[in-house]
Amino acid sequence: MQAIILAGGRGSRLDPYTRILPKPLFPIGDKPIAEILVHQLQQAGFNEIIMCLGYLADFIKLYFQDGSYFGLPIRYSVETVPLGTAGPLRMVNDLEEDFLVVNGDELTTLDFRALYDHHLAMKADLTVAVQKKSVSSSFGVLETKDGQITDYTEKPTINYWASMGIYVMNKRILSLIPENERFDMPDLVQRLLSEQARVVSYESQDLWFDIGTMADLEKAKEEFKQLKLL
């Protein structure tokens, strides 16, 4: 089984720290985020990792090298211009029929093997790991029609499904990704839906952090320490 780690972004929300260190190498305990991810993938039965790199690529290549220290081969695909979160996938050679894709700044307890097996069982073109989130409005929300108020809800809570930035896909959909131009995962999902492809979800209640700010990083450290996962 193959897994692709997307680790080419600049991590602009964590500027200026990411000017000197790529976000996947930010430490959680005594290991970088990406090393924790590599270990989890290896434990889940994945036997090859491809890292899609861009910004500060040499730092990541120097740390992981050929992967032998981590117990599985690691190879690299390096973009010369930013290609977004889906664009780099078109550059990867020698992919298996189905493969996992995960952002390099993910910290989660998700069972990657269960996600992969769900994708195969559903015979999906793309499977998206999702988690239920809620947001509370600070305002009263009105519904109107023809200038008349038809409903009023005071500070409602809205529930929605959030993408965890973790996917399993079949390589046949790679032809829908344009070559050598920026293309993000939401663009790919929209294109698949327009093509009436089979796009399914995998619902997760697992611990999950998208490390976007230093506050996220500190909270992730504390949560994972409490669970004795570091």
Side-chain angles (χ1 to χ4, degrees):
M1 296 191 301
Q2 292 174 319
I4 295 176
I5 297 179
L6 300 173
R10 293 185 64 89
S12 56
R13 289 181 296 170
L14 283 166
D15 186 86
Y17 305 103
T18 48
R19 295 183 189 183
I20 56 173
L21 190 69
K23 186 161 61 167
L25 293 185
F26 276 36
I28 299 289
D30 61 353
K31 295 183 178 66
I33 298 170
E35 182 179 344
I36 295 171
L37 188 54
V38 165
H39 177 72
Q40 289 175 316
L41 292 169
Q42 193 263 348
Q43 291 292 106
F46 290 86
N47 51 30
E48 184 185 30
I49 288 176
I50 303 104
M51 292 191 177
C52 291
L53 308 179
Y55 180 66
L56 297 180
D58 288 343
F59 283 65
I60 296 175
K61 291 169 72 173
L62 182 63
Y63 189 89
F64 288 100
Q65 300 187 51
D66 65 358
S68 57
Y69 179 80
F70 304 97
L72 76 175
I74 297 176
R75 59 186 170 98
Y76 305 93
S77 176
V78 183
E79 63 189 25
T80 55
V81 295
L83 295 176
T85 51
L89 302 177
R90 187 68 188 265
M91 298 174 56
V92 180
N93 298 318
D94 301 320
L95 283 170
E96 297 172 354
E97 198 67 19
D98 296 275
F99 52 91
L100 183 137
V101 179
V102 56
N103 289 327
D105 57 358
E106 300 279 357
L107 202 59
T108 181
T109 56
L110 176 75
D111 185 334
F112 292 108
R113 182 59 182 267
L115 168 63
Y116 185 88
D117 289 344
H118 176 78
H119 169 84
L120 296 182
M122 296 296 290
K123 298 180 180 178
D125 294 302
L126 176 69
T127 300
V128 184
V130 300
Q131 192 166 99
K132 183 166 282 188
K133 296 291 184 181
S134 61
V135 60
S136 297
S137 173
S138 300
F139 307 97
V141 175
L142 302 173
E143 293 184 20
T144 65
K145 183 177 181 180
D146 300 325
Q148 298 293 312
I149 294 174
T150 59
D151 196 12
Y152 186 111
T153 306
E154 180 64 16
K155 300 179 180 177
T157 297
I158 300 169
N159 297 310
Y160 63 95
W161 289 103
S163 169
M164 296 174 68
I166 307 170
Y167 315 88
V168 183
M169 61 180 64
N170 187 282
K171 71 176 181 180
R172 61 179 168 265
I173 72 174
L174 295 179
S175 62
L176 298 177
I177 300 174
E179 292 187 84
N180 302 316
E181 65 179 75
R182 186 179 183 91
F183 200 70
D184 289 312
M185 288 303 301
D187 302 319
L188 179 58
V189 172
Q190 291 292 344
R191 185 162 291 184
L192 286 166
L193 294 176
S194 70
E195 297 283 337
Q196 298 183 328
R198 187 163 174 75
V199 181
V200 305
S201 64
Y202 178 82
E203 297 176 9
S204 165
Q205 296 180 347
D206 299 281
L207 191 65
W208 168 55
F209 290 95
D210 171 21
I211 309 298
T213 66
M214 291 306 295
D216 294 334
L217 186 66
E218 293 305 317
K219 186 176 181 181
K221 287 179 182 178
E222 188 58 33
E223 292 269 2
F224 270 64
K225 184 178 179 180
Q226 289 179 5
L227 292 174
K228 297 181 170 55
L229 296 174
L230 297 179

